[in-house]
Amino acid sequence: MIHLYLNFIFGYLKNNRSKVFFNLVSITLGIALFVSTQINGWKAEKSLVDQTIGFNSQNMIGRYVPNATHSRIDSKSLRSLDSNLPDVFHIEPELFIKGYTTLTDKQSLSFPIIGRDLITFNINSNHQINRQKFPKYFVSNSLLQKIKHENKHVSLNLCNQILTINFADTMPIESDGLFIVTDIERLQSICELKNTFTTINILIQNEARFESWNVNFTQLFRNQNWKFETIDEIKERAGVALASLKINLTIISLVSVLISFFMVSNIYTGIFLSRKSEFGILLSIGGSRLNNFFLFMTLALLLGLIGGIIGTFVGITFANLNFFQTSTTLTDSSQLESYRAFPIMIVLYGIFLSIAGSILSALFNAIKAYYILPIELLKERNEAPTKPEISLQLKWFLSFFLIFLGIAIGCIKIQKQILPGLIGVSLVILGFILINYVSIPLIVKWISKSFEQFNLSTSFHLAMKEIEMEAWKNGLTISTIMLATSLVFTLSSLTLSYENSLKKWIQEENQSDYSLINEKKLNSGEPGVSIHLLNELEKTNLFNKVEPFFINSKFIVNGKYYTLHVLNFKENENKDGIFVSKNLCYLEKICKESLLKVNTPNKGIISLKVQDEKENFFSERGTIIMDFSLYKSLFPIQELNSIRLSISDLSKKDEALLKMKQLASENELIYLDQEKLKELYLTGMNRIFSVLDSLKLTAILISLLSLATSIFYYVKEKSKILAGLKAIGMNFLQIFLLLFYQTLFLLFAGMTSGILNSLILSPIVIFGINQNAFGWNLIFTYPVHFVANLPILILLYAMIITIIPFYFVYRMKISKELNYE
């Protein structure tokens, strides 16, 4: 029996190299997309976690964080905290400050400088440390490679001053990420922040990692200005912050995998048709139906395993080359590029998905191989079976039932749950796949009847007949093109909806003429505009409005982090109350009339009343909006994220612009008008969606490859028929048109089905998945302008795709193909 399997499988691999090649290419593309996007998604989340916990998660179980950006604490309190902890724990005070430098290509690079006690610092380095000349700075290898050049030092912009670091005083750390570690007292001295810390980390000894300790860290440190959070809470928060990115990547990569496996399923259909007689022969010489079934499934398992292994390595290569990079406004692309390690589970998921997808793609044809009869070896071609009318009606009913059920489930409103949306999308896709299969004979008959009076060529009628005779196989090809087209239009609709909603929000939220910002600190989200400029600008009397704008992305309310926006309220708004974003109301039920308890340095714990809700597209977690005068009375503030300026007196415009240029130059700032501010926000959004554009192009490539493969297989499987047509006088133009009409029909049917499918899926994604996950009410926008270009694209694609299989027909030798006669 083992010889039968080996001869069947390896004989096929040897004699059908082109089919094996296309099968492996399909699986490889789908799995490579999945693996690379999952690795990049993991890098984004890992980068966010590392920058949150200071690149030190090895033995860390949690940390104390201050309610304000930095907080002072005396050494006596630290010793008291340390003495109250069990011996297996120890504290690690940390000061985490962003630094900036300019690379040789004039690009600005930001990274954290971390102050720690170097005596207890766990150094992961291949270099021996000379205690007589202990290094002042420990630099990650990735950062050292970026900043080290011909000079013997590097200059950093740190705490509004220039710090020069000599490379002789540094030592590399074997770690991913861009960061520098130095002694905490040195960093406090440089930044003039004596007894100031950003966090107090709680570390545990390695040997005690798995021991359970009943320690209430919340009550251990009785300081209302500090809050304890576990490492799991930090990771969960990072996951929430990147939720939209991860959801989009997961959905799109899985749809891309689905597209590739539809193509694989089409290939397996070709394999079954080409080996049908062999299955019949095996039965006639004493083989069993189970042998046929497992022969087919073993072939699928082998191809799935090989394709999965190749796909994972290609995906890892894509990830290392930063294809499909998952940059967001919360992550730094330079940080992401520095990560090389990733969880091995992503590779295992990729291989498992490849094997499972290949088996599922082959299952239908394996079942047909199980039910095949020995008489099949006497048949020359498939005969279209006649379907009872009741069966056809049942299929139509089931198709529309699945679509309507998918719409109903997909639009169910459940906060923070995307499962209903995913189920809805799956049901709609299944409904359309069934429609594609059922409607092919009907469409062919309608086309043939409609074009009878035009007296079209024989090539056209033969093409339509061939399509009708293999409805299932062609239905798979149409469904593959449908999925790719639907993916492109649905994602384009989502992107345009975000863009239009964001433009409208910017216009309503910021009506000032200009904004002063610190460009170097823009990507990190840190404030960088001195509050003293606010008073200086107000005294000039050149501007109608001088408004502060401040962002705190770690504003703690009820033990959770939210984004806080601080600005000047309008005259009719209560300046002692707050506003919340509508998505915060939807997700967390913090709505109008709610009371929020906030721990403030100046007035202790106070209650703030929500006076209303506003649309806000800045944060996925939700945004709280507070008046500047109220915030200034509750929290210390030294820097703003921007200062918004409005000019009403046009006669003073030139003088006002001159003053802005002067202040911007003196304080290393830039000023943006309303249009440039929109571009800035849209650039941040486009950074998030840029990976989606790459995935859309890849999906199109897979679908076109599927169509080319389908036509190529038609040429290979129908070679004798095509040779016979050539023998009886059919010229090359007629044969080319025969292939072209089939390609054109499949392409047009697939794209039309995809557009109709996206018209249903887009609202489910926007009003179902998106709203449930993030609570945003987007302005629905559909890319109608794309549809207008499709007729030209369809003809162009059909022409290009037909050329490749036609080349094999052109080179075909009639005597060789008909030698069995």
Side-chain angles (χ1 to χ4, degrees), residues 341-360:
F342 56 86
I344 191 65
M345 285 303 297
I346 294 178
V347 173
L348 298 179
Y349 286 147
I351 295 176
F352 171 78
L353 192 62
S354 174
I355 295 173
S358 183
I359 289 175
L360 289 175

Side-chain angles (χ1 to χ4, degrees), residues 413-433:
K413 304 295 181 187
I414 304 177
Q415 295 87 348
K416 303 179 184 179
Q417 288 293 329
I418 64 168
L419 186 59
L422 295 178
I423 293 173
V425 168
S426 302
L427 292 175
V428 170
I429 290 175
L430 286 174
F432 268 87
I433 291 171

Side-chain angles (χ1 to χ4, degrees), residues 25 70 115 126 147 194 242 308 338 343 372 433 445 466 499 535 566 573 578 620 651 654 738:
V25 166
H70 307 298
N126 292 329
I147 63 176
K194 187 178 180 181
L242 297 173
S338 69
I372 204 168
I433 291 171
K445 289 178 182 177
E466 288 293 334
E499 184 175 327
N535 298 327
V566 179
E573 296 173 342
I578 57 174
E620 296 167 0
S651 62
D654 292 339
L738 170 64

Side-chain angles (χ1 to χ4, degrees), residues 365-380:
N365 287 291
I367 293 173
K368 289 201 296 185
Y370 176 83
Y371 284 108
I372 204 168
L373 299 174
I375 198 173
E376 293 292 337
L377 62 94
L378 301 176
K379 293 185 178 181
E380 285 292 323

